[in-house]
Amino acid sequence: MTAQAIQIEYQRQARKRESLEVAWLHRVATYCAIIPALVGLFALSGYWLTQDDVFEFLGWLTLVAGSVIVVIGIIATLTSFIVAHRTQRLVPRSVRRAMVLLIVLALNYPLAVFCRYAGQWLMDHPYCTLVLSNNGNKQIKGGTLEFGSTDNPFDSIQPGKSVVVHRRLNDNDRLALVLQVDGKIQRMPVVDRGASPLRIDARPVHIDIGDQTAERKD
């Protein structure tokens, strides 16, 4: 084999090796673009469905770790430009793929902002079960649960019985009941046993309704 043939073979092997490097860098960038987005959406969906604190922790962890991963993907993509240019293989296909990867990587940031604020809204508006128990001596013919700008009607409650209301809540509002008792309309603010303001979370909220007052008991 002549020296020229050896040189050509060496250059061919070098181009092949560096072409594999470009493909490997693009693969790394692809993973860096997709994984944070999928994990973030998984955490948001999981919290929306279960309101489990595990998904809240996973969401915050993804915001921090995902930012680092996306930066690694951007570095890998830019490095692929350098490697491709060094081997004179900066062909349109490689450029297009790298540009697409940069766009997808950049889209992780607005997606992270969306997940951040959507998750915060879900935390501030938990979907809650309210158990309304009639501990008074009179039948409640029906009533309405007032909470913020939305009212939830409920059916009659016999003494010693309960009804259940499901709804998404807001910590900034206060609960009140409008009851139909003895043909009259009676409005009762729901008071808390403690001195602190009433706080609603994802747990079932038990409200005892007496003849004159309504009180949260949990």
Side-chain angles (χ1 to χ4, degrees):
M1 183 177 291
T2 65
Q4 184 179 5
I6 294 174
Q7 180 67 20
I8 292 174
E9 178 63 19
Y10 174 79
Q11 292 176 351
R12 188 182 71 83
Q13 292 296 328
R15 287 195 298 269
K16 181 180 179 181
R17 182 175 63 255
E18 292 173 337
S19 179
L20 291 174
E21 290 179 6
V22 171
W24 180 81
L25 289 168
H26 284 174
R27 189 176 299 112
V28 169
T30 301
Y31 291 146
C32 291
I34 294 175
I35 290 175
L38 292 179
V39 175
L41 291 173
F42 172 74
L44 179 63
S45 301
Y47 188 81
W48 173 56
L49 293 172
T50 67
Q51 298 187 148
D52 194 307
D53 291 342
V54 172
F55 292 103
E56 179 186 349
F57 173 76
L58 179 61
W60 287 114
L61 181 63
T62 305
L63 287 175
V64 177
S67 299
V68 176
I69 292 173
V70 169
V71 170
I72 293 173
I74 293 174
I75 293 173
T77 305
L78 296 178
T79 304
S80 73
F81 275 113
I82 298 173
V83 175
H85 180 71
R86 184 181 63 197
T87 58
Q88 297 182 352
R89 293 180 62 85
L90 199 61
V91 296
R93 185 176 64 179
S94 297
V95 173
R96 286 196 300 269
R97 185 174 183 183
M99 292 302 297
V100 169
L101 285 172
L102 286 175
I103 292 172
V104 175
L105 285 161
L107 288 176
N108 273 271
Y109 290 105
L111 178 62
V113 173
F114 166 77
C115 290
R116 157 73 175 82
Y117 284 100
Q120 187 63 53
W121 188 91
L122 290 173
M123 291 171 61
D124 293 339
H125 300 77
Y127 192 79
C128 186
T129 298
L130 297 103
V131 181
L132 312 179
S133 301
N134 184 0
N135 290 344
N137 299 315
K138 300 177 181 179
Q139 179 186 4
I140 299 173
K141 298 292 186 179
T144 302
L145 172 69
E146 293 182 345
F147 199 90
S149 59
T150 305
D151 297 339
N152 292 86
F154 54 86
D155 296 328
S156 63
I157 313 175
Q158 297 291 337
K161 301 296 183 178
S162 302
V163 297
V164 176
V165 176
H166 302 280
R167 61 161 295 163
R168 193 168 290 281
L169 303 178
N170 188 331
D171 285 345
N172 298 323
D173 296 320
R174 297 192 67 84
L175 287 164
L177 295 169
V178 178
L179 308 175
Q180 301 176 29
V181 181
D182 292 337
K184 299 179 180 179
I185 302 297
Q186 184 178 4
R187 189 177 189 277
M188 292 183 182
V190 178
V191 297
D192 197 15
R193 286 188 303 179
S196 61
L198 178 67
R199 189 187 191 286
I200 303 298
D201 55 23
R203 298 173 301 150
V205 175
H206 296 272
I207 298 174
D208 288 350
I209 305 173
D211 292 331
Q212 301 296 327
T213 59
E215 184 176 324
R216 180 185 176 190
K217 304 299 290 185
D218 60 314

